[in-house]
PDB file of all heavy atoms in Angstrom:
ATOM      1  N   ILE A   1      45.843 -51.451  24.663  1.00 98.00           N
ATOM      2  CA  ILE A   1      45.941 -52.053  26.051  1.00 98.00           C
ATOM      3  C   ILE A   1      47.067 -52.924  26.347  1.00 98.00           C
ATOM      4  O   ILE A   1      47.763 -52.807  27.205  1.00 98.00           O
ATOM      5  CB  ILE A   1      44.568 -52.705  26.304  1.00 98.00           C
ATOM      6  CG1 ILE A   1      43.465 -51.792  26.402  1.00 98.00           C
ATOM      7  CG2 ILE A   1      44.676 -53.478  27.729  1.00 98.00           C
ATOM      8  CD1 ILE A   1      42.056 -52.413  26.417  1.00 98.00           C
ATOM      9  N   ASN A   2      47.304 -53.862  25.341  1.00 96.00           N
ATOM     10  CA  ASN A   2      48.323 -54.729  25.515  1.00 96.00           C
ATOM     11  C   ASN A   2      49.679 -54.131  25.493  1.00 96.00           C
ATOM     12  O   ASN A   2      50.643 -54.407  26.081  1.00 96.00           O
ATOM     13  CB  ASN A   2      48.272 -55.897  24.435  1.00 96.00           C
ATOM     14  CG  ASN A   2      47.315 -56.956  24.788  1.00 96.00           C
ATOM     15  OD1 ASN A   2      47.251 -57.398  25.918  1.00 96.00           O
ATOM     16  ND2 ASN A   2      46.612 -57.384  23.804  1.00 96.00           N
ATOM     17  N   GLU A   3      49.887 -53.077  24.492  1.00 97.00           N
ATOM     18  CA  GLU A   3      51.090 -52.246  24.436  1.00 97.00           C
ATOM     19  C   GLU A   3      51.443 -51.647  25.772  1.00 97.00           C
ATOM     20  O   GLU A   3      52.505 -51.550  26.171  1.00 97.00           O
ATOM     21  CB  GLU A   3      51.030 -51.265  23.286  1.00 97.00           C
ATOM     22  CG  GLU A   3      51.183 -51.919  21.895  1.00 97.00           C
ATOM     23  CD  GLU A   3      50.846 -50.825  20.826  1.00 97.00           C
ATOM     24  OE1 GLU A   3      50.588 -49.587  21.108  1.00 97.00           O
ATOM     25  OE2 GLU A   3      50.603 -51.246  19.666  1.00 97.00           O
ATOM     26  N   ALA A   4      50.435 -51.009  26.395  1.00 97.00           N
ATOM     27  CA  ALA A   4      50.577 -50.323  27.618  1.00 97.00           C
ATOM     28  C   ALA A   4      50.861 -51.379  28.771  1.00 97.00           C
ATOM     29  O   ALA A   4      51.794 -50.986  29.583  1.00 97.00           O
ATOM     30  CB  ALA A   4      49.317 -49.549  27.902  1.00 97.00           C
ATOM     31  N   LEU A   5      50.341 -52.492  28.760  1.00 97.00           N
ATOM     32  CA  LEU A   5      50.543 -53.498  29.777  1.00 97.00           C
ATOM     33  C   LEU A   5      52.020 -53.917  29.624  1.00 97.00           C
ATOM     34  O   LEU A   5      52.592 -54.173  30.700  1.00 97.00           O
ATOM     35  CB  LEU A   5      49.546 -54.578  29.651  1.00 97.00           C
ATOM     36  CG  LEU A   5      48.108 -54.396  29.989  1.00 97.00           C
ATOM     37  CD1 LEU A   5      47.243 -55.588  29.590  1.00 97.00           C
ATOM     38  CD2 LEU A   5      48.133 -54.214  31.542  1.00 97.00           C
ATOM     39  N   GLU A   6      52.505 -54.144  28.489  1.00 96.00           N
ATOM     40  CA  GLU A   6      53.749 -54.622  28.213  1.00 96.00           C
ATOM     41  C   GLU A   6      54.815 -53.688  28.670  1.00 96.00           C
ATOM     42  O   GLU A   6      56.034 -54.123  28.954  1.00 96.00           O
ATOM     43  CB  GLU A   6      54.002 -55.153  26.842  1.00 96.00           C
ATOM     44  CG  GLU A   6      53.195 -56.398  26.527  1.00 96.00           C
ATOM     45  CD  GLU A   6      53.139 -56.638  25.005  1.00 96.00           C
ATOM     46  OE1 GLU A   6      53.832 -55.937  24.159  1.00 96.00           O
ATOM     47  OE2 GLU A   6      52.487 -57.643  24.603  1.00 96.00           O
ATOM     48  N   ARG A   7      54.513 -52.322  28.822  1.00 96.00           N
ATOM     49  CA  ARG A   7      55.708 -51.416  29.077  1.00 96.00           C
ATOM     50  C   ARG A   7      55.471 -50.849  30.417  1.00 96.00           C
ATOM     51  O   ARG A   7      56.288 -49.966  30.840  1.00 96.00           O
ATOM     52  CB  ARG A   7      55.839 -50.301  28.009  1.00 96.00           C
ATOM     53  CG  ARG A   7      54.629 -49.497  27.796  1.00 96.00           C
ATOM     54  CD  ARG A   7      54.931 -48.205  26.959  1.00 96.00           C
ATOM     55  NE  ARG A   7      53.796 -47.373  26.815  1.00 96.00           N
ATOM     56  CZ  ARG A   7      52.948 -47.400  25.744  1.00 96.00           C
ATOM     57  NH1 ARG A   7      52.944 -48.257  24.856  1.00 96.00           N
ATOM     58  NH2 ARG A   7      51.849 -46.533  25.866  1.00 96.00           N
ATOM     59  N   CYS A   8      54.424 -51.132  31.172  1.00 97.00           N
ATOM     60  CA  CYS A   8      54.060 -50.518  32.441  1.00 97.00           C
ATOM     61  C   CYS A   8      54.987 -51.185  33.523  1.00 97.00           C
ATOM     62  O   CYS A   8      55.437 -52.232  33.298  1.00 97.00           O
ATOM     63  CB  CYS A   8      52.516 -50.593  32.813  1.00 97.00           C
ATOM     64  SG  CYS A   8      52.095 -52.287  33.343  1.00 97.00           S
ATOM     65  N   ASP A   9      55.104 -50.425  34.695  1.00 96.00           N
ATOM     66  CA  ASP A   9      55.886 -51.066  35.782  1.00 96.00           C
ATOM     67  C   ASP A   9      54.994 -51.208  36.981  1.00 96.00           C
ATOM     68  O   ASP A   9      55.395 -51.783  37.993  1.00 96.00           O
ATOM     69  CB  ASP A   9      57.128 -50.270  36.132  1.00 96.00           C
ATOM     70  CG  ASP A   9      56.971 -48.798  36.292  1.00 96.00           C
ATOM     71  OD1 ASP A   9      55.883 -48.408  36.524  1.00 96.00           O
ATOM     72  OD2 ASP A   9      57.973 -48.100  36.061  1.00 96.00           O
ATOM     73  N   LEU A  10      53.663 -50.842  36.874  1.00 98.00           N
ATOM     74  CA  LEU A  10      52.628 -51.103  37.858  1.00 98.00           C
ATOM     75  C   LEU A  10      51.261 -51.284  37.238  1.00 98.00           C
ATOM     76  O   LEU A  10      50.866 -50.486  36.343  1.00 98.00           O
ATOM     77  CB  LEU A  10      52.532 -49.904  38.877  1.00 98.00           C
ATOM     78  CG  LEU A  10      51.423 -49.959  39.842  1.00 98.00           C
ATOM     79  CD1 LEU A  10      51.621 -51.137  40.796  1.00 98.00           C
ATOM     80  CD2 LEU A  10      51.287 -48.699  40.718  1.00 98.00           C
ATOM     81  N   PHE A  11      50.685 -52.351  37.587  1.00 97.00           N
ATOM     82  CA  PHE A  11      49.217 -52.614  37.035  1.00 97.00           C
ATOM     83  C   PHE A  11      48.341 -52.853  38.247  1.00 97.00           C
ATOM     84  O   PHE A  11      48.628 -53.591  39.154  1.00 97.00           O
ATOM     85  CB  PHE A  11      49.229 -53.868  36.164  1.00 97.00           C
ATOM     86  CG  PHE A  11      47.927 -54.351  35.820  1.00 97.00           C
ATOM     87  CD1 PHE A  11      47.132 -53.579  35.001  1.00 97.00           C
ATOM     88  CD2 PHE A  11      47.346 -55.543  36.288  1.00 97.00           C
ATOM     89  CE1 PHE A  11      45.734 -54.022  34.663  1.00 97.00           C
ATOM     90  CE2 PHE A  11      46.048 -55.887  36.070  1.00 97.00           C
ATOM     91  CZ  PHE A  11      45.214 -55.185  35.177  1.00 97.00           C
ATOM     92  N   VAL A  12      47.316 -52.088  38.232  1.00 98.00           N
ATOM     93  CA  VAL A  12      46.378 -52.057  39.488  1.00 98.00           C
ATOM     94  C   VAL A  12      44.914 -52.381  38.835  1.00 98.00           C
ATOM     95  O   VAL A  12      44.487 -51.813  37.961  1.00 98.00           O
ATOM     96  CB  VAL A  12      46.258 -50.784  40.102  1.00 98.00           C
ATOM     97  CG1 VAL A  12      45.336 -50.877  41.357  1.00 98.00           C
ATOM     98  CG2 VAL A  12      47.605 -50.249  40.568  1.00 98.00           C
ATOM     99  N   ALA A  13      44.329 -53.451  39.295  1.00 97.00           N
ATOM    100  CA  ALA A  13      43.046 -53.905  39.090  1.00 97.00           C
ATOM    101  C   ALA A  13      41.955 -53.534  40.125  1.00 97.00           C
ATOM    102  O   ALA A  13      42.271 -53.831  41.350  1.00 97.00           O
ATOM    103  CB  ALA A  13      42.866 -55.376  38.797  1.00 97.00           C
ATOM    104  N   ILE A  14      40.981 -52.925  39.918  1.00 97.00           N
ATOM    105  CA  ILE A  14      39.965 -52.302  40.873  1.00 97.00           C
ATOM    106  C   ILE A  14      38.698 -52.870  40.591  1.00 97.00           C
ATOM    107  O   ILE A  14      38.021 -52.595  39.497  1.00 97.00           O
ATOM    108  CB  ILE A  14      40.007 -50.837  40.906  1.00 97.00           C
ATOM    109  CG1 ILE A  14      41.401 -50.227  41.156  1.00 97.00           C
ATOM    110  CG2 ILE A  14      39.034 -50.312  41.849  1.00 97.00           C
ATOM    111  CD1 ILE A  14      41.521 -48.676  40.869  1.00 97.00           C
ATOM    112  N   GLY A  15      38.065 -53.631  41.618  1.00 93.00           N
ATOM    113  CA  GLY A  15      36.627 -53.953  41.486  1.00 93.00           C
ATOM    114  C   GLY A  15      36.301 -54.846  40.342  1.00 93.00           C
ATOM    115  O   GLY A  15      35.143 -54.729  39.793  1.00 93.00           O
ATOM    116  N   THR A  16      37.156 -55.734  40.054  1.00 90.00           N
ATOM    117  CA  THR A  16      36.845 -56.650  38.917  1.00 90.00           C
ATOM    118  C   THR A  16      37.012 -58.251  39.426  1.00 90.00           C
ATOM    119  O   THR A  16      37.942 -58.460  40.188  1.00 90.00           O
ATOM    120  CB  THR A  16      37.699 -56.434  37.675  1.00 90.00           C
ATOM    121  OG1 THR A  16      37.436 -57.417  36.691  1.00 90.00           O
ATOM    122  CG2 THR A  16      39.178 -56.318  37.908  1.00 90.00           C
ATOM    123  N   SER A  17      36.256 -58.971  39.041  1.00 78.00           N
ATOM    124  CA  SER A  17      36.173 -60.332  39.494  1.00 78.00           C
ATOM    125  C   SER A  17      37.375 -61.117  39.121  1.00 78.00           C
ATOM    126  O   SER A  17      37.834 -62.174  39.748  1.00 78.00           O
ATOM    127  CB  SER A  17      34.926 -61.182  38.892  1.00 78.00           C
ATOM    128  OG  SER A  17      34.950 -61.258  37.602  1.00 78.00           O
ATOM    129  N   GLY A  18      38.114 -60.849  37.841  1.00 76.00           N
ATOM    130  CA  GLY A  18      39.181 -61.500  37.453  1.00 76.00           C
ATOM    131  C   GLY A  18      38.821 -62.868  36.805  1.00 76.00           C
ATOM    132  O   GLY A  18      39.675 -63.672  36.513  1.00 76.00           O
ATOM    133  N   ASN A  19      37.559 -63.029  36.449  1.00 74.00           N
ATOM    134  CA  ASN A  19      37.106 -64.481  35.864  1.00 74.00           C
ATOM    135  C   ASN A  19      36.929 -64.199  34.415  1.00 74.00           C
ATOM    136  O   ASN A  19      36.825 -65.323  33.647  1.00 74.00           O
ATOM    137  CB  ASN A  19      35.827 -64.727  36.550  1.00 74.00           C
ATOM    138  CG  ASN A  19      36.106 -65.105  37.904  1.00 74.00           C
ATOM    139  OD1 ASN A  19      36.976 -65.570  38.319  1.00 74.00           O
ATOM    140  ND2 ASN A  19      34.960 -64.871  38.743  1.00 74.00           N
ATOM    141  N   VAL A  20      36.835 -62.978  33.813  1.00 76.00           N
ATOM    142  CA  VAL A  20      36.525 -62.881  32.379  1.00 76.00           C
ATOM    143  C   VAL A  20      37.691 -62.598  31.542  1.00 76.00           C
ATOM    144  O   VAL A  20      38.356 -61.529  31.742  1.00 76.00           O
ATOM    145  CB  VAL A  20      35.368 -61.797  32.239  1.00 76.00           C
ATOM    146  CG1 VAL A  20      34.961 -61.680  30.802  1.00 76.00           C
ATOM    147  CG2 VAL A  20      34.080 -62.188  33.018  1.00 76.00           C
ATOM    148  N   TYR A  21      38.063 -63.371  30.620  1.00 81.00           N
ATOM    149  CA  TYR A  21      39.157 -62.988  29.738  1.00 81.00           C
ATOM    150  C   TYR A  21      38.700 -62.130  28.498  1.00 81.00           C
ATOM    151  O   TYR A  21      37.538 -62.271  28.122  1.00 81.00           O
ATOM    152  CB  TYR A  21      39.760 -64.361  29.292  1.00 81.00           C
ATOM    153  CG  TYR A  21      40.620 -65.052  30.066  1.00 81.00           C
ATOM    154  CD1 TYR A  21      40.134 -65.825  31.187  1.00 81.00           C
ATOM    155  CD2 TYR A  21      42.004 -64.657  30.307  1.00 81.00           C
ATOM    156  CE1 TYR A  21      40.912 -66.410  32.152  1.00 81.00           C
ATOM    157  CE2 TYR A  21      42.816 -65.344  31.314  1.00 81.00           C
ATOM    158  CZ  TYR A  21      42.279 -66.166  32.287  1.00 81.00           C
ATOM    159  OH  TYR A  21      43.005 -66.767  33.173  1.00 81.00           O
ATOM    160  N   PRO A  22      39.502 -61.262  27.929  1.00 87.00           N
ATOM    161  CA  PRO A  22      41.081 -61.233  28.239  1.00 87.00           C
ATOM    162  C   PRO A  22      41.477 -60.468  29.504  1.00 87.00           C
ATOM    163  O   PRO A  22      42.516 -60.536  29.870  1.00 87.00           O
ATOM    164  CB  PRO A  22      41.501 -60.585  27.005  1.00 87.00           C
ATOM    165  CG  PRO A  22      40.424 -59.675  26.553  1.00 87.00           C
ATOM    166  CD  PRO A  22      39.166 -60.477  26.819  1.00 87.00           C
ATOM    167  N   ALA A  23      40.493 -59.664  30.125  1.00 86.00           N
ATOM    168  CA  ALA A  23      40.932 -58.898  31.214  1.00 86.00           C
ATOM    169  C   ALA A  23      41.507 -59.611  32.314  1.00 86.00           C
ATOM    170  O   ALA A  23      42.432 -59.138  33.043  1.00 86.00           O
ATOM    171  CB  ALA A  23      39.684 -58.021  31.654  1.00 86.00           C
ATOM    172  N   ALA A  24      41.135 -60.852  32.607  1.00 84.00           N
ATOM    173  CA  ALA A  24      41.623 -61.747  33.620  1.00 84.00           C
ATOM    174  C   ALA A  24      43.114 -62.045  33.501  1.00 84.00           C
ATOM    175  O   ALA A  24      43.889 -62.233  34.374  1.00 84.00           O
ATOM    176  CB  ALA A  24      40.753 -62.980  33.760  1.00 84.00           C
ATOM    177  N   GLY A  25      43.573 -61.981  32.284  1.00 91.00           N
ATOM    178  CA  GLY A  25      45.019 -62.177  32.006  1.00 91.00           C
ATOM    179  C   GLY A  25      45.888 -60.989  31.966  1.00 91.00           C
ATOM    180  O   GLY A  25      47.109 -61.050  31.732  1.00 91.00           O
ATOM    181  N   PHE A  26      45.355 -59.796  32.130  1.00 95.00           N
ATOM    182  CA  PHE A  26      46.134 -58.605  32.071  1.00 95.00           C
ATOM    183  C   PHE A  26      47.260 -58.502  32.984  1.00 95.00           C
ATOM    184  O   PHE A  26      48.326 -58.011  32.776  1.00 95.00           O
ATOM    185  CB  PHE A  26      45.223 -57.264  32.383  1.00 95.00           C
ATOM    186  CG  PHE A  26      44.376 -56.885  31.299  1.00 95.00           C
ATOM    187  CD1 PHE A  26      44.299 -57.652  30.001  1.00 95.00           C
ATOM    188  CD2 PHE A  26      43.494 -55.869  31.356  1.00 95.00           C
ATOM    189  CE1 PHE A  26      43.497 -57.337  28.890  1.00 95.00           C
ATOM    190  CE2 PHE A  26      42.633 -55.397  30.282  1.00 95.00           C
ATOM    191  CZ  PHE A  26      42.665 -56.080  29.020  1.00 95.00           C
ATOM    192  N   TYR A  27      47.103 -58.988  34.241  1.00 94.00           N
ATOM    193  CA  TYR A  27      48.194 -58.936  35.182  1.00 94.00           C
ATOM    194  C   TYR A  27      49.300 -59.860  34.774  1.00 94.00           C
ATOM    195  O   TYR A  27      50.519 -59.480  35.119  1.00 94.00           O
ATOM    196  CB  TYR A  27      47.683 -59.278  36.631  1.00 94.00           C
ATOM    197  CG  TYR A  27      47.522 -60.773  36.932  1.00 94.00           C
ATOM    198  CD1 TYR A  27      48.669 -61.476  37.572  1.00 94.00           C
ATOM    199  CD2 TYR A  27      46.319 -61.369  36.650  1.00 94.00           C
ATOM    200  CE1 TYR A  27      48.431 -62.830  37.936  1.00 94.00           C
ATOM    201  CE2 TYR A  27      46.316 -62.744  36.969  1.00 94.00           C
ATOM    202  CZ  TYR A  27      47.310 -63.386  37.637  1.00 94.00           C
ATOM    203  OH  TYR A  27      47.040 -64.763  37.961  1.00 94.00           O
ATOM    204  N   GLN A  28      49.045 -60.907  34.129  1.00 93.00           N
ATOM    205  CA  GLN A  28      50.123 -61.826  33.566  1.00 93.00           C
ATOM    206  C   GLN A  28      50.895 -61.097  32.431  1.00 93.00           C
ATOM    207  O   GLN A  28      52.134 -61.097  32.322  1.00 93.00           O
ATOM    208  CB  GLN A  28      49.529 -63.111  33.123  1.00 93.00           C
ATOM    209  CG  GLN A  28      49.062 -63.997  34.327  1.00 93.00           C
ATOM    210  CD  GLN A  28      48.099 -64.954  33.840  1.00 93.00           C
ATOM    211  OE1 GLN A  28      47.203 -64.684  33.021  1.00 93.00           O
ATOM    212  NE2 GLN A  28      48.131 -66.152  34.342  1.00 93.00           N
ATOM    213  N   THR A  29      50.178 -60.365  31.636  1.00 95.00           N
ATOM    214  CA  THR A  29      50.801 -59.522  30.437  1.00 95.00           C
ATOM    215  C   THR A  29      51.814 -58.516  31.126  1.00 95.00           C
ATOM    216  O   THR A  29      52.898 -58.228  30.617  1.00 95.00           O
ATOM    217  CB  THR A  29      49.818 -58.945  29.687  1.00 95.00           C
ATOM    218  OG1 THR A  29      48.892 -59.929  29.165  1.00 95.00           O
ATOM    219  CG2 THR A  29      50.388 -58.217  28.425  1.00 95.00           C
ATOM    220  N   ALA A  30      51.258 -57.860  32.187  1.00 96.00           N
ATOM    221  CA  ALA A  30      52.043 -56.761  32.811  1.00 96.00           C
ATOM    222  C   ALA A  30      53.338 -57.350  33.360  1.00 96.00           C
ATOM    223  O   ALA A  30      54.367 -56.604  33.468  1.00 96.00           O
ATOM    224  CB  ALA A  30      51.197 -56.117  33.882  1.00 96.00           C
ATOM    225  N   ARG A  31      53.304 -58.504  33.753  1.00 91.00           N
ATOM    226  CA  ARG A  31      54.538 -59.192  34.384  1.00 91.00           C
ATOM    227  C   ARG A  31      55.638 -59.492  33.390  1.00 91.00           C
ATOM    228  O   ARG A  31      56.776 -59.813  33.862  1.00 91.00           O
ATOM    229  CB  ARG A  31      54.149 -60.447  35.133  1.00 91.00           C
ATOM    230  CG  ARG A  31      53.528 -60.241  36.518  1.00 91.00           C
ATOM    231  CD  ARG A  31      53.268 -61.545  37.175  1.00 91.00           C
ATOM    232  NE  ARG A  31      52.720 -61.257  38.483  1.00 91.00           N
ATOM    233  CZ  ARG A  31      52.178 -62.169  39.232  1.00 91.00           C
ATOM    234  NH1 ARG A  31      51.840 -63.318  38.645  1.00 91.00           N
ATOM    235  NH2 ARG A  31      51.728 -62.032  40.430  1.00 91.00           N
ATOM    236  N   VAL A  32      55.359 -59.471  32.126  1.00 88.00           N
ATOM    237  CA  VAL A  32      56.341 -59.689  31.147  1.00 88.00           C
ATOM    238  C   VAL A  32      57.618 -58.935  31.357  1.00 88.00           C
ATOM    239  O   VAL A  32      58.683 -59.227  31.203  1.00 88.00           O
ATOM    240  CB  VAL A  32      55.674 -59.496  29.739  1.00 88.00           C
ATOM    241  CG1 VAL A  32      56.862 -59.541  28.619  1.00 88.00           C
ATOM    242  CG2 VAL A  32      54.713 -60.538  29.403  1.00 88.00           C
ATOM    243  N   ASN A  33      57.413 -57.535  31.792  1.00 83.00           N
ATOM    244  CA  ASN A  33      58.501 -56.732  31.989  1.00 83.00           C
ATOM    245  C   ASN A  33      58.683 -56.398  33.428  1.00 83.00           C
ATOM    246  O   ASN A  33      58.937 -55.362  33.911  1.00 83.00           O
ATOM    247  CB  ASN A  33      58.360 -55.387  31.320  1.00 83.00           C
ATOM    248  CG  ASN A  33      58.620 -55.667  29.783  1.00 83.00           C
ATOM    249  OD1 ASN A  33      59.433 -56.506  29.360  1.00 83.00           O
ATOM    250  ND2 ASN A  33      57.856 -54.821  28.911  1.00 83.00           N
ATOM    251  N   SER A  34      58.363 -57.530  34.322  1.00 92.00           N
ATOM    252  CA  SER A  34      58.491 -57.330  35.766  1.00 92.00           C
ATOM    253  C   SER A  34      57.766 -56.263  36.480  1.00 92.00           C
ATOM    254  O   SER A  34      58.075 -55.735  37.367  1.00 92.00           O
ATOM    255  CB  SER A  34      60.007 -57.239  36.087  1.00 92.00           C
ATOM    256  OG  SER A  34      60.741 -58.259  35.546  1.00 92.00           O
ATOM    257  N   ALA A  35      56.496 -56.001  35.901  1.00 96.00           N
ATOM    258  CA  ALA A  35      55.560 -55.032  36.577  1.00 96.00           C
ATOM    259  C   ALA A  35      55.152 -55.559  37.820  1.00 96.00           C
ATOM    260  O   ALA A  35      54.920 -56.697  38.046  1.00 96.00           O
ATOM    261  CB  ALA A  35      54.482 -54.588  35.689  1.00 96.00           C
TER     262      ALA A  35
END
């Protein structure tokens, strides 16, 4: 998952509260490469 997040250029989260880690931090990981 982390490898895919680091190389993606679009990250979409659907129907998730964003309160539970590590998933809550996925959008920040995706931004490492300006996704």
Side-chain angles (χ1 to χ4, degrees):
I1 293 169
N2 281 319
E3 286 169 9
L5 288 168
E6 287 168 4
R7 65 171 183 263
C8 74
D9 47 29
L10 174 63
F11 171 66
V12 184
I14 302 168
T16 176
S17 66
N19 294 327
V20 180
Y21 281 86
F26 283 1
Y27 79 95
Q28 292 159 317
T29 305
R31 280 186 174 156
V32 169
N33 288 328
S34 305

